[in-house]
Amino acid sequence: MIGQQRVRVDAIVRGGGALPEPPPTRTIVLWCPDWPVIAAARAAGAPPEQPFAVVSKGLVYASSASARQHGVVRGLRLREAQARCTDLVVQSYDDALDHRAFEPVIRAVEAAVPGVEVLRPGTLALRSRGPARYYGGERAAAATLAGIAADHGAPGVRAGVADTPFAAEQAARARPVRPGERVRIVPVAGSSDFLAPLPLGVLGDADLASVLDRLGITTLGAFAALHDEQVRDRFGLAGAFLHRLAGGRDPREISAREIPPELRTEASFEPALDRADQIAFAFRRSADDFADRLRAAGLVATTIRVGILDERDILLERTWTHPRWFEAADVVDRVRWQLAGGVDPTGLEAPVTSVVLEPVAVDDMANHERGLWGSGPDERVHHGLARVQGMVGHDGVVTPRIGGGRTLSERMVLVPWGDAPPADLGAVRDRPWPGKLPGPPPATVLERPRPVDVVTVDGGSVDVDDRGVLSGTPGRFRAEGDRGGGFGAVTAWAGPWPLVVRWWDAGGRRLHRLQLVDAEGRAWYLVLADHRWWAEAVAT
C-alpha cells in the first residue's frame, strides 16, 4: 500500500501535476521571412536587391538577405553594420508600419479561412482541422494559404504544420528539406522529436539559454528532459512555460483576433449648409446611427472627436469628453456647440460640407448599467447638469479647478462641465510661482473682489508704505455688504506680502496681500491695490 502510494506521487511529480495534459492543437503557421525589412523597404522605396537593415535603439533589428551576405546580422551595432556594408540602407524600426503593411495579408487569409491569430507582423497561426478538410489535406491547405499570403504582399511565405503553435512556427522557420519547398509538416505526436535537436535560442530568452549552456544543456531536447518541478523551482513560472514549449507541450490555444466594429460616422451635405441649427438637425440621424452601433457592440463612448469640414477645405476638429457617456442628443449638442463657438449661430464663416464623428475612448456598457433600484444620486446629478448644459450652452455649466498663478483669481480655472481638464494643468499648478502664497487655498474665492476697510484701533487707515511695511496695526475690519455694516475687531493678522505684476511694463502694478481673522472667526484674504483694500477670498 505504501509502495503504491509512493509510485503514484512520483508519477504526479514527474508529470508536473495531477491534471492531464491538454490535447494538442494541430496548427498551421504561415511565416514571411524578413517581414520588417520588406515593409520598411517598400515604404522607403528601396529596390529589393539593395542591402537593407531596420534599426532599433542603435542595434540591427532585422536585415535583408543581401545585407546578411556582408555580415549584417541581428543585434549588430549600427556603426559596425555600416562598416561591414558601405552601401547599406538603414531605416528606424516602426512597429505601426509593420502592422499596417501586414493588414492586407491578414484580411486575405481571413477571407479564405476564419479564425486567424496574428502572432506578430509576418506570422499567422490557425487551426489545421478545418482547412485540411476543405482543401484535401494539411499539405494542400498550408500550400494554398501560403500562396494567398504571397499574392497579397508577403513574398516567400513558408508554412509549418505541427501539434502545437510553437512547433508549427519552428517547422515554418526550419531549413527546407528540398530546394523550393514551402511547407514543412511534422507528423502527429512527433513535435517533441522534431524540437529536440533545435538550439535553445529559438525560445527567445537569452538569459535562460546562457544559464543552461553553462550547465551543459544546449538543445531543446536536453532542456525538456529535466523534471518539471526542478525547472519551476529554479527558473520560475516563465522558465516552466518555456520548458513545456521545448517538450512539445505548448499549452496555448489558437485565439482568433476580433475585428472591432467600424464606429466612425460621416455625414455629407449637398448643397453645403451655412446655418448651425440646420447642420445639427441634419446630423441627428447620423448621431442616432452612431449610438445604435455602439449599443450593438455593447459599448459606450466617453470621449469623441468631431471634425467639421467647410467649403474652404478647413477642418475644425475638437475632442469632447463626457462625465458619463455620450447619447445621441449629447452628440448633437456637441456638434452645435462646436459650430457656434465664437460665431453667430445663425451663420457660419463658410458653408459646411461634412461632419465626421469618431469615438476616441469607449468602455464596456456593463460598467455603466443603471442600478437595480434606479440610478444613484451622482447619476441624477450628472443627468441634471447635462440637461442644463444642453439648454444654456457648453460654457453655461462649469467646474472649478486649481491651476497655477500667484493670485487666487489666477489659480481658479473654470472648465466646462464634462470636459477633461487641460493636460498640463497639474504641471502648471506645481510650478514654483514667485510670490505665490503657500496653501491650503481659502474655501471660497469671490467672483468679484469686495471692497473692505482696514483701520487701527484708533480708527486710522492702514496702508503700506514704499518699503512694504504697514502704516499701522490692523485693529478693526469692515467688509462691504456685511450685516450691520459696522466695524468688527481683528483677532489675528499676517503680512503684508508684496507682489509686483509686470514690473518691466509701464502698466505694471505693485500689490500687497494681507490675511486677517475677524471677530466672527472668518479668515479673509485681502489685496491692497492703489491704496484700496479688496477681499479676494474668505474661509469660514
Side-chain angles (χ1 to χ4, degrees), residues 47-100:
E49 65 277 1
Q50 179 78 26
F52 198 95
V54 178
V55 178
S56 176
K57 298 179 181 179
L59 301 177
V60 174
Y61 180 81
S63 57
S64 63
S66 57
R68 289 194 294 271
Q69 292 177 356
H70 293 81
V72 179
V73 295
R74 182 184 175 94
L76 195 67
R77 292 187 179 275
L78 175 59
R79 181 169 297 181
E80 185 175 352
Q82 292 174 327
R84 293 185 181 184
C85 182
T86 56
D87 58 345
L88 181 69
V89 178
V90 177
Q91 287 288 335
S92 297
Y93 175 64
D94 186 352
D95 182 66
L97 172 64
D98 254 11
H99 284 82
R100 285 197 308 270

Side-chain angles (χ1 to χ4, degrees), residues 135-156:
Y135 291 105
E138 291 179 340
R139 185 173 296 276
T144 301
L145 295 175
I148 292 174
D151 293 340
H152 288 80

Side-chain angles (χ1 to χ4, degrees), residues 348-440:
L348 304 175
E349 294 182 359
V352 173
T353 59
S354 64
V355 177
V356 178
L357 170 66
E358 57 183 345
V360 175
V362 296
D363 194 12
D364 195 327
M365 184 183 293
N367 298 331
H368 299 266
E369 290 290 348
R370 298 182 184 273
L372 181 62
W373 309 110
S375 58
D378 290 344
E379 187 73 14
R380 290 196 295 269
V381 169
H382 291 321
H383 183 68
L385 291 177
R387 292 194 61 184
V388 172
Q389 191 178 39
M391 292 184 289
V392 302
H394 178 236
D395 297 327
V397 181
V398 294
T399 303
R401 294 287 190 272
I402 297 178
R406 299 177 179 86
T407 65
L408 295 176
S409 58
E410 291 176 347
R411 299 193 66 190
M412 185 176 64
V413 180
L414 298 179
V415 180
W417 170 257
D419 281 12
D424 60 345
L425 187 60
V428 169
R429 181 175 62 245
D430 296 335
R431 288 177 183 172
W433 295 91
K436 181 181 70 173
L437 294 182

Side-chain angles (χ1 to χ4, degrees), residues 115-441:
V116 175
E117 179 181 0
V118 183
L119 300 181
R120 69 190 62 86
T123 308
L124 301 175
L126 60 152
R127 293 183 176 89
S128 68
R129 182 179 179 182
R133 288 183 174 182
Y134 184 81
Y135 291 105
E138 291 179 340
R139 185 173 296 276
T144 301
L145 295 175
I148 292 174
D151 293 340
H152 288 80
V157 170
R158 283 149 56 177
V161 186
D163 291 339
T164 64
F166 177 73
E169 183 176 354
Q170 300 311 312
R173 291 174 175 268
R175 186 183 299 275
V177 177
R178 293 181 296 272
E181 185 180 42
R182 293 194 302 169
V183 179
R184 179 75 175 269
I185 297 181
V186 178
V188 177
S191 294
S192 58
D193 295 334
F194 167 75
L195 294 172
L198 298 181
L200 293 170
V202 300
L203 294 174
D205 192 327
D207 294 335
L208 176 65
S210 176
V211 172
L212 293 174
D213 184 68
R214 292 197 295 269
L215 296 174
I217 300 173
T218 59
T219 63
L220 295 185
F223 183 37
L226 300 176
H227 292 308
D228 288 355
E229 72 277 6
Q230 294 174 339
V231 175
R232 185 168 54 250
D233 293 343
R234 175 62 179 83
F235 300 106
L237 294 178
F241 172 74
L242 297 178
H243 180 249
R244 294 172 67 86
L245 295 186
R249 297 180 290 141
D250 191 346
R252 297 172 298 177
E253 295 286 340
I254 298 299
S255 177
R257 70 168 186 164
E258 296 183 2
I259 303 177
E262 177 59 47
L263 300 175
R264 183 177 182 272
T265 300
E266 181 174 359
S268 300
F269 309 118
E270 183 60 40
L273 302 179
D274 57 359
R275 289 178 56 91
D277 52 353
Q278 292 177 343
I279 297 170
F281 181 80
F283 190 73
R284 185 175 297 275
R285 182 182 296 273
S286 299
D288 290 335
D289 180 63
F290 173 76
D292 291 341
R293 278 188 284 170
L294 280 172
R295 194 176 302 110
L299 302 172
V300 293
T302 57
T303 306
I304 61 174
R305 181 182 295 112
V306 177
I308 300 174
L309 185 67
D310 61 22
E311 284 186 337
R312 302 169 298 175
D313 288 334
I314 295 178
L315 178 64
L316 176 63
E317 193 172 69
R318 180 167 179 178
T319 300
W320 300 87
T321 61
H322 199 284
R324 299 181 301 129
W325 69 89
F326 282 96
E327 297 178 351
D330 299 322
V331 173
V332 174
D333 283 339
R334 268 59 178 185
V335 172
R336 177 165 52 85
W337 295 341
Q338 186 165 327
L339 287 166
V343 181
D344 182 1
T346 60
L348 304 175
E349 294 182 359
V352 173
T353 59
S354 64
V355 177
V356 178
L357 170 66
E358 57 183 345
V360 175
V362 296
D363 194 12
D364 195 327
M365 184 183 293
N367 298 331
H368 299 266
E369 290 290 348
R370 298 182 184 273
L372 181 62
W373 309 110
S375 58
D378 290 344
E379 187 73 14
R380 290 196 295 269
V381 169
H382 291 321
H383 183 68
L385 291 177
R387 292 194 61 184
V388 172
Q389 191 178 39
M391 292 184 289
V392 302
H394 178 236
D395 297 327
V397 181
V398 294
T399 303
R401 294 287 190 272
I402 297 178
R406 299 177 179 86
T407 65
L408 295 176
S409 58
E410 291 176 347
R411 299 193 66 190
M412 185 176 64
V413 180
L414 298 179
V415 180
W417 170 257
D419 281 12
D424 60 345
L425 187 60
V428 169
R429 181 175 62 245
D430 296 335
R431 288 177 183 172
W433 295 91
K436 181 181 70 173
L437 294 182

